[in-house]
Amino acid sequence: MNPRHVLSKRVISYLSGFNPTTRAISTQLHSHINNAGSTSSSPNCKIPHNPFPSSYPKTFHSVPNVKFTSISVDPEPRVDESEDADDVINEFLSRFFHIMRGKLNAAYPDADKQTIDGMLLVIVGKVADEMEKGSLAHMLDEARGVPPLGFSEDLWRTVWEVSVAVCEDMDREAKKEKMKVFLQSEEVKEMARFASEVGIRGDMLREFRFQWAREKMEERDLYESLQLLCQEEQQDKEEEEEEEEEEEEGKEEEGKLEAGSEAVSDTEELNLAIDLPKRHGKIKYKIYGLDMSDPKWTEVADKIHEAEEVTWPQEAKPVLGKCKLVMEKILSLKEEDDFSPLLAEWMELLHPNRVDWTNLLVNCKERNIGLYYKVAEHVLDEPSFESNVGDYSKLIQAHVKENRLEDAQRVLKKMNDNGIKPDIITSSTLVHMYCRAGKLDHAKETFQTLRKQGFKPDMRLYGWMINAYASSGEPELGEQLAVEMDARGMKPAEENWMVLMRAFSQQGNIAGALRIVTTMQFAGLASLESLTLLVESCVQAGNADKARNSFDYMMRLGFKPDDRCTASMIAAYEKKNSLDMALDLLLQLEKEGFEPGVKTYSVLVDWLGKLQLIDEAEQILQKIAVLGEAPPLNIQVSLCDMYSRAGMEKKALQALGVLEARKEELGQQDFERIIIALTAGNFKQHAQRMRELMESRGFQASEAFKVSTISWQSLGLRRMTGRRPGLR
């Protein structure tokens, strides 16, 4: 079919008006038509290029009068083009055709469809010709220069702009498709699932998911680019080596020609060398600047492999058949049962290694913790378990946590017998164990051993030792450790200072308590409790004046005394027997808004009871009842003492019944005071019963108690029948 039927004169006239250089375009199209007509004069004429692939029939399906079956394509296929490249070119031409049609329709609104299709045939044909000269990128690079033969600059600029727009659209579509793949990847899904679980929803979750997918895509692109760089570098090296080998082969051939008189054997060896060239130098491979061809990396790989054999978790052997039955019998045993026969049978059936032993211990721990301790201790002696210092340390820690001190010491003895020295973790655990058990000597010895090993104690270890010294009545040594901590830049905690403060207070050591209070004040840790303990230390020492000075100092610091602190101050005046000063203090505090509590009332009841001011003491008891709290134990002791000495049998026995019901809470001083009061009140049978009860509790009578009892019995005092009148 003659292409003149496709490109009519109307097509030429419309293309001539496309831009200012209409005459040039008209000349172009005339030349195209004349060339097409001249080449189609024979019946076997072939148009050399078909710009529209058969995979896109939509390109010309709207042209009813044109039969494209007569247009044949060059039958010789291109061997160097892959299917992917064909798909890209087809996609490009399809998009280019669609956009260019719109531009032609906008430029020539009066042109019919056949004319527009003719224009597109010429333009797309020229674009296809340019694409066949090189790649698509090459065509776009060259498009900015001189336009191809037959196109004006304006027309070719329009073609170039459309081509660039098509390439950008194709690039965006490719990125979208690639992004869809990464959005559906398992890693991105897992991160999105976790984000939704922690409460991220809606647009934020969607934004995060796109961000994660974009990062994964960029990471993949980075690795692909690095791989391409490595391949290019390797290819360059191979080309250089091939060039060197070719040069060497040429030199060897020249030498062979010059030495033509040599033996045939030498010639064969030379030919062999030429046929199989040897590589010169070592293979070098770098990753991020590291020369991986260095022999040291071989040694590193071997060491890593050996370490993985030790640290990589192995799987336990499957426990089946009779072995499983024996294992179930072991797990069903009680703590007091003998597991040795069953364990020996299990070992004979399974031949366990360390992983199998560990599996057995885990099952024992889940089923019976007592059985676990026994089996774990037994396993330490098994050669197949390959026990180490960590196994001993874990078992000792477990015993210490459960306060099984004897078991922990037994494991420690076994550890020493087997020649395994405790490590730092084990030694720290032992210090904690000895401190909790009150074995200060062992704790000090282990603590010094840690220091000799070069270990610097931490806050926790210092705290254990300070508590141990305070509990053993040696707060001065604990204070030295606290000072040592401060010198090392480790600020002792408030709890450490308070432990020492309580110890000094119980001993009545005013100087030590004052040092701790001063240190805490400079550290910004002064509190009402620490100052109250200072007052109590003065009370314990029997120094009412220093107690009052400490009390006033506390108030000057801005701390308001509470019920406990006021009770301690009243107790100091009680020892001095200064009732008037105590009453003045209470009146002063009541003016400042202080309201006495149970502790203050308890001290007053005890004091008034010793003075046999029964009416006043009972009034204080009524105030305690108004507070809605039950009288504490020390009040019951005071009441029993007061009523017994006053000879009030009914009330004395009533208070004694309350004390007998709470006998587990009574101390040695409480027992001695009750017995002396009952003896003074001539309640000898009750006094004897309370003495037997004291001895059953394991308390031994003090010398002062023995002297007081003998004196009361020798005097033979008669029980008092009346009571002293109270103050009104």
Side-chain angles (χ1 to χ4, degrees):
M1 180 178 179
N2 195 332
R4 292 178 181 275
H5 296 169
V6 178
L7 298 179
S8 60
K9 292 184 180 180
R10 288 183 299 169
V11 175
I12 298 173
S13 61
Y14 278 115
L15 279 176
S16 301
F18 184 78
N19 52 57
T21 58
T22 54
R23 186 169 299 278
I25 297 177
S26 176
T27 306
Q28 297 167 15
L29 295 179
H30 275 295
S31 63
H32 278 291
I33 295 172
N34 293 332
N35 292 336
S38 61
T39 55
S40 60
S41 58
S42 62
N44 297 326
C45 73
K46 297 181 180 179
I47 297 176
H49 305 296
N50 181 12
F52 304 102
S54 59
S55 59
Y56 290 92
K58 61 182 181 179
T59 306
F60 286 107
H61 74 279
S62 59
V63 185
N65 297 329
V66 181
K67 297 181 180 180
F68 291 100
T69 54
S70 62
I71 302 176
S72 61
V73 185
D74 190 357
E76 297 181 1
R78 296 181 181 271
V79 181
D80 58 342
E81 292 182 356
S82 63
E83 294 182 358
D84 293 338
D86 292 339
D87 293 339
V88 172
I89 293 174
N90 293 340
E91 178 69 16
F92 173 80
L93 292 176
S94 176
R95 290 172 178 268
F96 179 85
F97 181 83
H98 178 71
I99 297 175
M100 204 64 193
R101 177 189 289 274
K103 288 186 175 292
L104 291 176
N105 287 330
Y108 304 103
D110 299 333
D112 57 1
K113 201 168 190 179
Q114 185 177 0
T115 305
I116 296 297
D117 290 341
M119 297 178 188
L120 288 173
L121 178 63
V122 175
I123 296 172
V124 175
K126 181 59 69 175
V127 171
D129 290 341
E130 293 296 326
M131 291 177 63
E132 287 183 355
K133 296 178 182 179
S135 62
L136 181 61
H138 177 74
M139 186 199 78
L140 294 178
D141 292 337
E142 297 295 334
R144 284 185 174 273
V146 181
L149 183 62
F151 272 23
S152 66
E153 293 183 1
D154 294 336
L155 178 59
W156 187 243
R157 187 183 300 110
T158 303
V159 171
W160 180 82
E161 291 176 356
V162 173
S163 301
V164 171
V166 170
C167 290
E168 291 177 354
D169 291 341
M170 292 175 64
D171 187 38
R172 282 194 296 269
E173 291 295 332
K175 287 184 178 180
K176 287 182 181 179
E177 294 299 326
K178 198 172 182 180
M179 180 69 78
K180 290 179 182 178
V181 175
F182 285 98
L183 282 173
Q184 300 300 325
S185 63
E186 292 297 329
E187 295 181 0
V188 175
K189 286 183 179 179
E190 185 66 25
M191 288 190 289
R193 191 178 301 111
F194 175 77
S196 63
E197 291 177 357
V198 299
I200 300 176
R201 299 285 191 277
D203 296 338
M204 182 177 292
L205 178 59
R206 192 178 302 106
E207 182 178 353
F208 277 137
R209 186 166 182 177
F210 275 98
Q211 179 180 352
W212 294 329
R214 191 181 303 109
E215 291 175 356
K216 292 293 180 183
M217 185 175 66
E218 292 175 355
E219 182 180 359
R220 177 70 62 83
D221 294 340
L222 174 62
Y223 283 118
E224 289 179 354
S225 62
L226 291 176
Q227 188 176 5
L228 290 175
L229 290 176
C230 292
Q231 291 177 357
E232 292 176 358
E233 184 178 358
Q234 187 68 21
Q235 187 176 359
D236 294 340
K237 289 182 178 180
E238 290 178 356
E239 292 177 356
E240 293 177 359
E241 291 175 357
E242 290 178 358
E243 292 177 357
E244 293 177 358
E245 291 174 359
E246 290 177 358
E247 292 178 359
E248 292 177 358
E249 289 175 0
K251 293 179 181 180
E252 290 176 356
E253 289 178 356
E254 292 177 1
K256 178 181 177 182
L257 295 175
E258 293 175 357
S261 60
E262 292 182 355
V264 179
S265 59
D266 296 337
T267 305
E268 292 177 355
E269 293 178 358
L270 183 60
N271 291 333
L272 181 60
I274 294 173
D275 295 338
L276 300 175
K278 293 183 179 180
R279 182 183 294 275
H280 295 275
K282 296 181 179 179
I283 300 176
K284 292 185 178 181
Y285 183 66
K286 292 184 179 181
I287 296 180
Y288 297 108
L290 294 177
D291 187 6
M292 303 304 294
S293 59
D294 196 322
K296 69 179 182 180
W297 295 110
T298 305
E299 299 176 1
V300 172
D302 294 338
K303 291 180 180 179
I304 292 174
H305 180 69
E306 293 175 359
E308 287 179 350
E309 290 181 352
V310 178
T311 59
W312 193 261
Q314 301 178 358
E315 294 184 359
K317 299 176 184 177
V319 182
L320 304 173
K322 186 177 180 181
C323 185
K324 185 176 182 180
L325 296 176
V326 175
M327 185 174 177
E328 289 295 332
K329 291 180 181 180
I330 295 174
L331 297 177
S332 62
L333 292 175
K334 297 181 180 179
E335 184 177 357
E336 60 273 7
D337 295 337
D338 185 14
F339 59 85
S340 300
L342 291 174
L343 193 62
E345 185 178 359
W346 180 78
M347 293 172 58
E348 183 179 357
L349 292 172
L350 188 61
H351 300 288
N353 54 18
R354 181 176 176 84
V355 180
D356 300 321
W357 283 114
T358 304
N359 185 33
L360 176 63
L361 292 176
V362 169
N363 291 326
C364 289
K365 192 173 184 179
E366 293 177 354
R367 298 278 288 271
N368 190 343
I369 189 66
L371 180 65
Y372 162 75
Y373 289 132
K374 295 179 66 177
V375 175
E377 185 175 349
H378 176 81
V379 166
L380 293 175
D381 296 329
E382 293 294 336
S384 58
F385 182 64
E386 301 175 357
S387 58
N388 52 40
V389 64
D391 300 321
Y392 287 95
S393 179
K394 289 179 182 178
L395 188 55
I396 291 174
Q397 288 179 358
H399 284 311
V400 171
K401 188 176 181 180
E402 298 293 333
N403 291 326
R404 304 165 67 99
L405 303 182
E406 295 181 358
D407 297 334
Q409 289 179 340
R410 186 173 61 254
V411 176
L412 178 63
K413 183 178 182 302
K414 180 181 291 188
M415 183 179 182
N416 294 327
D417 294 341
N418 293 335
I420 301 177
K421 294 183 179 180
D423 58 357
I424 294 176
I425 298 177
T426 308
S427 299
S428 301
T429 305
L430 293 175
V431 171
H432 187 204
M433 179 184 71
Y434 292 137
C435 291
R436 290 179 63 179
K439 297 182 178 181
L440 183 59
D441 295 336
H442 292 80
K444 290 167 62 176
E445 181 181 358
T446 310
F447 188 74
Q448 295 300 329
T449 302
L450 281 172
R451 284 184 165 181
K452 291 178 181 179
Q453 293 177 356
F455 175 72
K456 294 182 179 180
D458 55 0
M459 291 281 294
R460 185 175 58 174
L461 202 58
Y462 273 121
W464 291 339
M465 288 302 300
I466 290 173
N467 292 339
Y469 280 127
S471 301
S472 301
E474 299 181 10
E476 292 84 1
L477 298 177
E479 185 181 1
Q480 293 178 5
L481 287 181
V483 173
E484 180 182 338
M485 289 176 63
D486 197 8
R488 286 184 53 195
M490 303 168 59
K491 299 297 181 182
E494 182 180 2
E495 182 182 356
N496 301 133
W497 294 118
M498 293 304 299
V499 168
L500 296 174
M501 193 68 193
R502 294 187 187 96
F504 283 124
S505 177
Q506 292 174 1
Q507 292 180 354
N509 190 338
I510 302 176
L514 187 59
R515 286 196 307 271
I516 300 299
V517 167
T518 304
T519 304
M520 293 181 66
Q521 184 177 358
F522 279 111
L525 301 175
S527 61
L528 177 62
E529 184 178 2
S530 61
L531 295 170
T532 301
L533 289 172
L534 178 60
V535 175
E536 290 178 354
S537 65
C538 298
V539 175
Q540 189 70 20
N543 195 329
D545 295 335
K546 289 188 176 181
R548 183 58 188 267
N549 292 335
S550 301
F551 189 84
D552 295 339
Y553 175 70
M554 176 186 65
M555 296 184 67
R556 286 197 299 271
L557 290 178
F559 295 101
K560 293 184 178 180
D562 58 357
D563 186 40
R564 173 188 168 187
C565 186
T566 306
S568 299
M569 194 62 236
I570 299 298
Y573 285 131
E574 179 186 359
K575 289 186 177 182
K576 193 178 178 182
N577 201 18
S578 301
L579 184 59
D580 52 346
M581 299 180 68
L583 294 177
D584 291 340
L585 177 63
L586 288 176
L587 291 174
Q588 178 184 352
L589 293 177
E590 287 180 356
K591 289 179 181 179
E592 296 177 359
F594 172 76
E595 295 182 1
V598 176
K599 293 182 179 180
T600 303
Y601 286 142
S602 299
V603 175
L604 291 174
V605 168
D606 183 69
W607 193 355
L608 296 175
K610 290 178 181 179
L611 297 176
Q612 289 295 301
L613 300 176
I614 299 175
D615 293 340
E616 286 75 6
E618 290 180 347
Q619 290 178 5
I620 300 296
L621 286 175
Q622 293 177 0
K623 292 183 179 181
I624 295 177
V626 170
L627 294 176
E629 298 185 16
L633 184 64
N634 57 350
I635 287 185
Q636 298 295 338
V637 175
S638 301
L639 292 177
C640 182
D641 178 86
M642 179 180 66
Y643 290 135
S644 297
R645 292 178 184 273
M648 303 175 66
E649 182 178 3
K650 183 177 180 181
K651 293 185 177 181
L653 294 180
Q654 183 179 1
L656 183 62
V658 175
L659 293 174
E660 288 180 342
R662 302 172 64 180
K663 58 185 177 181
E664 299 297 333
E665 302 177 23
L666 296 174
Q668 182 177 354
Q669 294 181 355
D670 298 329
F671 275 112
E672 291 179 354
R673 182 179 178 184
I674 294 169
I675 294 170
I676 292 174
L678 291 173
T679 303
N682 202 19
F683 301 115
K684 296 181 179 180
Q685 293 181 355
H686 300 293
Q688 183 63 29
R689 187 175 73 254
M690 292 301 295
R691 184 161 188 169
E692 293 175 356
L693 185 60
M694 181 184 70
E695 293 176 354
S696 65
R697 289 283 308 280
F699 297 125
Q700 298 295 329
S702 63
E703 294 298 329
F705 171 74
K706 292 179 181 179
V707 172
S708 299
T709 304
I710 293 173
S711 63
W712 280 107
Q713 290 177 354
S714 62
L715 290 175
L717 294 176
R718 304 174 65 181
R719 182 170 60 88
M720 299 174 62
T721 56
R723 62 177 180 176
R724 295 176 57 187
L727 295 177
R728 301 296 181 185

